[in-house]
Amino acid sequence: MTAESTMPPEERGRKRSEAIRRSTGTLYGVGLGPGDPELVTVKAARIIADADVVAYHSARHGRSIARRIAEPYLRPGQLEEHLVYPVTTETVDHPDGYAGAMEDFYRESAECIAAHLNAGRDVALLAEGDPLFYSSYMHMHTRLTEQFDAVIIPGVTSVSAASAAISTPLVTGDEVLSVLPGTMPVRELARRLADADAAVVMKLGRTYPQVREALSMAGRLDEAFYVERASTDAQRVLPAGEVDADGVPYFSLAILPGAGRPATSDTGGQHTKKTAGGVAVVGLGPGDIEWMTPQSRQELAAATDLIGYGPYLDRVPLRAGQVRHPSDNTDEPARARLACELAEQGRTVAVVSSGDPGVFAMATAVLEEAKQWPSVGVRVIPAMTAAQAVASRVGAPLGHDYAVISLSDRLKPWDIIAARLSAAAAADLVLAIYNPASKSRTWQVAAMRDLLLEHREPGTPVVIGRDIAGPHESVKVVRLADLDPADVDMRCLVIVGSSQTQWYGDTVFTPRRYPA
């Protein structure tokens, strides 16, 4: 009886697998770097020269970029395996389409390499950049490593080469670098670009028009560089907005350096100092961060100072180096004055507002204050309003003409509010009521209800939306006659229907057509 016969079956299987692996060749995933043969590492050059077989990919035209990079390190007598893609971006007649054609190709390529490994030959499978970074090598790795040993030789990535090409640090301090594929949907790519400290977009080629659109939607097109064939004799560097999309090759990328860089892009690859200062009054939207626009995200990310009501500032992600100036909700003139003072000192200031900054919010206060600061520029960044958010939760109550009225009598007398309520009700407008109540204002909702009942039927639908898209969201629809002031507080927005507004179940809408 042999020692092996007394082993458990799983141990015998492991021993036999190890013996087989020792008798087969080794697969080397060799990173070649971004294109310059002098950026091939010493170890990669040695592995290429020592390998029995050198394998590489190319499109159907047969010109392999990987082989061209590795050519100085090949030796006479080596076997070469040229793995030719059956398709790149064109249509195919494979019964399973593009995915089916590529699956067959990778399976057949793996079988070809496996035959060499089973014969005891070491195979160097070449990969531009790094073998495990958006590389075709990975398709071979997953198919072969269950049976054969594999060693990865890392390479310099195109990201590093592109950063060197623009002579600009990608990230500094606590900034985060995002690497994104250009094949993402445009809106999702724009959202991620707006949120990013710094970003690199890979896989360009035919996707470049969509990538440029996403950069523009994110408000970051002017910051971005386009780098083509980094580190090679054919390298090109341009501002991302000046690129002819028809001529963009796959081996290119868009690069968005972090905010810590002191420069902006220009056609000469040189950099000019950014002009600092200014105030952006930024709308955060109603509550859900997903409802914040890419432009708002970008303005918040670029600011050196954030000013606003404390709970609103809490909704803005923390960023290294930014200074926050929280205050209570009644100190609007002081916030506006601080914003202008900081901007006058050269700071880039964002003043935050919930909803849209121009609707009962901070834009007016900042613009009023800025009249006294001629050198301070003010920009207003729009956002979804609370009225839109509440309306969306029940359907389309704002589908026809409507009026927006604040019930707060802190800045205007109640007589004016009452006159406007009566006029809008008499005109049969839907009403979006902001600031309906607070701890110190408890009677206005009942007074509004009684005024409106002089013009509206008791059964008119009233929508009470509270903390929409927030953690304590609630939506309630009641008859106008049944509107209870106890159901309404400062976190609410109230929509009162017109004579035409319809209500069934949880749905409320106002038809666009008005009877003659």
Side-chain angles (χ1 to χ4, degrees), residues 8-240:
E10 60 273 15
E11 180 67 12
R12 288 201 302 274
R14 187 180 65 81
K15 291 283 189 182
R16 288 170 182 168
S17 295
E18 289 178 352
I20 291 172
R21 283 178 180 262
R22 284 195 296 271
S23 66
T24 60
T26 298
L27 173 66
Y28 291 93
V30 182
L32 298 174
D36 183 350
E38 292 186 347
L39 291 179
V40 174
T41 66
V42 172
K43 185 170 185 178
R46 177 176 59 79
I47 294 297
I48 293 169
D50 290 346
D52 302 302
V53 181
V54 176
Y56 44 85
H57 294 85
S58 82
R60 288 191 296 182
H61 53 59
R63 299 184 299 276
S64 172
I65 295 174
R67 190 191 185 284
R68 177 181 57 77
I69 299 170
E71 188 171 9
Y73 310 106
L74 299 175
R75 59 177 172 79
Q78 281 180 305
L79 295 174
E80 295 187 20
E81 285 292 351
H82 188 179
L83 309 174
V84 180
Y85 291 114
V87 64
T88 50
T89 58
E90 64 271 20
T91 57
V92 295
D93 56 7
H94 192 283
D96 294 323
Y98 176 87
M102 293 305 292
E103 176 62 29
D104 285 352
F105 167 69
Y106 286 126
R107 176 180 50 77
E108 292 165 3
S109 297
E111 290 171 354
C112 171
I113 292 173
H116 287 296
L117 296 171
N118 278 321
R121 304 184 190 104
D122 292 339
V123 178
L125 180 53
L126 307 182
E128 298 94 337
D130 183 271
L132 298 182
F133 186 72
Y134 291 121
S135 167
S136 296
Y137 168 79
M138 293 182 288
H139 297 284
M140 298 295 99
H141 187 86
T142 55
R143 288 167 170 80
L144 294 169
T145 50
E146 289 186 4
Q147 184 179 356
F148 303 102
D149 288 330
V151 177
I152 305 298
I153 313 300
V156 177
T157 69
S158 58
V159 174
S160 298
S163 181
I166 64 173
S167 301
T168 302
L170 276 182
V171 282
T172 59
D174 293 330
E175 290 176 339
V176 176
L177 174 64
S178 299
V179 180
L180 306 168
T183 50
M184 295 179 73
V186 171
R187 292 188 179 277
E188 177 64 12
L189 182 58
R191 183 185 71 80
R192 292 176 181 257
L193 287 168
D195 285 344
D197 294 330
V200 172
V201 184
M202 313 286 293
K203 299 178 180 289
L204 296 189
R206 293 189 179 188
T207 70
Y208 192 73
Q210 291 76 32
V211 171
R212 184 167 58 191
E213 180 182 358
L215 284 163
S216 181
M217 289 172 62
R220 308 193 73 173
L221 183 60
D222 290 343
E223 301 174 49
F225 293 89
Y226 165 86
V227 182
E228 178 179 311
R229 296 186 173 93
S231 82
T232 71
D233 293 340
Q235 173 180 293
R236 287 204 309 155
V237 179
L238 293 169

Side-chain angles (χ1 to χ4, degrees), residues 445 449 464 476 478-488:
V445 173
R449 177 197 61 205
I464 305 170
K476 186 176 184 179
V478 300
R479 299 168 71 246
L480 177 58
D482 299 331
L483 177 58
D484 184 352
D487 290 338
V488 181

Side-chain angles (χ1 to χ4, degrees), residues 184-462:
M184 295 179 73
V186 171
R187 292 188 179 277
E188 177 64 12
L189 182 58
R191 183 185 71 80
R192 292 176 181 257
L193 287 168
D195 285 344
D197 294 330
V200 172
V201 184
M202 313 286 293
K203 299 178 180 289
L204 296 189
R206 293 189 179 188
T207 70
Y208 192 73
Q210 291 76 32
V211 171
R212 184 167 58 191
E213 180 182 358
L215 284 163
S216 181
M217 289 172 62
R220 308 193 73 173
L221 183 60
D222 290 343
E223 301 174 49
F225 293 89
Y226 165 86
V227 182
E228 178 179 311
R229 296 186 173 93
S231 82
T232 71
D233 293 340
Q235 173 180 293
R236 287 204 309 155
V237 179
L238 293 169
E242 298 181 10
V243 177
D244 179 4
D246 292 336
V248 173
Y250 183 82
F251 287 98
S252 57
L253 53 79
I255 187 167
L256 189 66
R261 69 189 184 91
T264 54
S265 61
D266 61 37
T267 55
Q270 302 301 314
H271 305 115
T272 56
K273 188 71 175 177
K274 272 189 174 180
T275 301
V279 178
V281 192
V282 180
L284 302 180
D288 189 334
I289 194 170
E290 294 298 320
W291 289 357
M292 193 186 304
T293 67
Q295 186 181 13
S296 290
R297 296 172 190 266
Q298 170 60 16
E299 293 288 348
L300 295 172
T304 59
D305 294 77
L306 301 180
I307 297 174
Y309 177 41
Y312 297 162
L313 286 180
D314 290 342
R315 288 166 50 187
V316 180
L318 292 169
R319 287 184 182 270
Q322 283 184 331
V323 181
R324 295 183 174 225
H325 307 270
S327 63
D328 65 38
N329 204 27
T330 61
D331 207 8
E332 293 182 358
R335 291 204 293 270
R337 185 166 53 255
L338 175 61
C340 291
E341 289 173 351
L342 291 171
E344 180 78 357
Q345 298 167 19
R347 309 286 288 178
T348 303
V349 183
V351 179
V352 302
S353 280
S354 182
D356 183 277
V359 181
F360 303 121
M362 281 299 301
T364 298
V366 173
L367 289 167
E368 285 181 338
E369 176 66 27
K371 289 190 300 183
Q372 305 174 51
W373 305 80
S375 63
V376 172
V378 177
R379 292 172 297 112
V380 179
I381 312 302
M384 184 189 299
T385 68
Q388 292 169 320
V390 172
S392 72
R393 290 302 198 237
V394 295
L398 305 180
H400 197 70
D401 299 343
Y402 67 96
V404 178
I405 297 177
S406 170
L407 285 198
S408 174
D409 58 357
R410 191 169 67 85
L411 299 176
K412 63 181 182 289
W414 175 255
D415 289 347
I416 295 295
I417 298 171
R420 290 173 177 175
L421 286 169
S422 296
D428 201 20
L429 295 170
V430 175
L431 299 176
I433 305 298
Y434 280 72
N435 308 315
S438 68
K439 291 180 180 179
S440 61
R441 292 187 298 103
T442 58
W443 56 271
Q444 282 90 342
V445 173
M448 176 194 72
R449 177 197 61 205
D450 296 342
L451 279 170
L452 296 181
L453 282 170
E454 296 176 9
H455 303 274
R456 302 285 162 90
E457 292 294 330
T460 300
V462 177

